[in-house]
Amino acid sequence: MPPMADLANTKPDWTMMQEFHAAFRRDADRLVKAAEAREFGKPSVKVGWATFRDQLVRHHRAEDADMWPVARKNLGDNTDGIKLIDEMESEHAVIGPAIEQIDAAFANPTADPDAAIQVSKSFRDNLTAHLDHEESEVLPLLDTCYSMADLNEFSAKQRKKGGIKEAAALFPWLLDGDSETGKRAISLLPPPLRFINKYFWVRTYNKTPRW
């Protein structure tokens, strides 16, 4: 471990980002499975989608507002790097309308089940391609221009914007399904928050069926 004075200059730890991505992939698969089963009218599926959608929208807004601008500034005249950030924003812009299409399918689940399957698969494919792109090219780029101090500042802004209410929704969602997804992220929380999450937030979250 580097000396304390050097911690701010170490490469950022992308554990939380990777756990978000794993949860997005998990729920995108659940969405397609629900569409194929003609279950868009099922209350638990509606709640599962709403939870997934809200976390994804919040995540992309945070990147667009608070992560990419800092990356652009730190990249300076690195035109190839800036092009990658442009691609991230363009991919977010494609995913947004796809979310609206799925919302419309949920609003009228019996209208055309085959169309619901098609838009769900298209959404999943676009989202998965975006996540793959971000992990394979953009996170390594950020390792060269984004410090741990930058990431800490980004995280602090999101905590301030969301507050305890959003934390209470986020961490149980990461753990949804009792899989490995989210466990590394939970391990990063201070012990008091891990206790609150386990004995209060998760129990409240699990009272509402999803998917």
Side-chain angles (χ1 to χ4, degrees):
M1 178 178 290
M4 291 299 294
D6 294 336
L7 286 177
N9 296 319
T10 59
K11 289 183 178 181
D13 180 354
W14 299 113
T15 296
M16 189 69 75
M17 180 77 79
Q18 290 164 345
E19 295 296 81
F20 266 105
H21 287 190
F24 293 146
R25 290 186 175 99
R26 175 200 68 204
D27 280 4
D29 286 339
R30 287 170 165 174
L31 176 71
V32 172
K33 183 178 179 180
E36 291 176 335
R38 308 296 201 265
E39 292 182 338
F40 270 20
K42 189 176 177 181
S44 61
V45 172
K46 291 182 178 180
V47 175
W49 161 247
T51 304
F52 171 29
R53 176 199 63 207
D54 292 349
Q55 292 295 344
L56 179 60
V57 168
R58 189 176 296 118
H59 181 75
H60 282 178
R61 284 176 178 170
E63 289 180 334
D64 290 342
D66 298 317
M67 181 169 282
W68 306 145
V70 173
R72 287 180 183 279
K73 179 181 177 182
N74 292 351
L75 282 166
D77 59 359
N78 182 343
T79 55
D80 290 338
I82 291 172
K83 180 182 177 182
L84 279 175
I85 301 301
D86 289 341
E87 290 171 1
M88 289 296 99
E89 293 180 341
S90 296
E91 289 167 16
H92 285 185
V94 170
I95 292 168
I99 290 173
E100 294 176 0
Q101 288 181 315
I102 295 169
D103 279 338
F106 273 102
N108 193 4
T110 61
D112 188 348
D114 290 335
I117 295 171
Q118 183 177 354
V119 298
S120 297
K121 287 183 175 180
S122 177
F123 166 79
R124 182 187 61 183
D125 292 347
N126 283 330
L127 177 60
T128 299
H130 167 67
L131 299 176
D132 291 346
H133 188 194
E134 188 170 315
E135 290 168 358
S136 65
E137 296 193 55
V138 177
L139 293 188
L141 171 70
L142 293 181
D143 280 341
T144 71
C145 70
Y146 215 80
S147 68
M148 195 65 208
D150 290 327
L151 183 57
N152 288 340
E153 183 176 353
F154 169 81
S155 299
K157 284 183 179 180
Q158 306 323 308
R159 289 194 296 271
K160 184 176 181 180
K161 288 181 178 181
I164 200 72
K165 183 177 180 180
E166 287 192 6
L170 167 62
F171 291 104
W173 168 75
L174 286 174
L175 290 168
D176 191 332
D178 195 29
S179 66
E180 291 303 311
T181 301
K183 290 184 178 179
R184 291 191 306 158
I186 300 302
S187 72
L188 299 178
L189 294 175
L193 281 184
R194 291 204 299 270
F195 178 88
I196 292 171
N197 182 67
K198 182 176 181 179
Y199 291 104
F200 294 94
W201 294 347
V202 168
R203 290 180 180 180
T204 299
Y205 181 91
N206 287 340
K207 288 178 181 178
T208 303
R210 290 173 176 80
W211 300 109

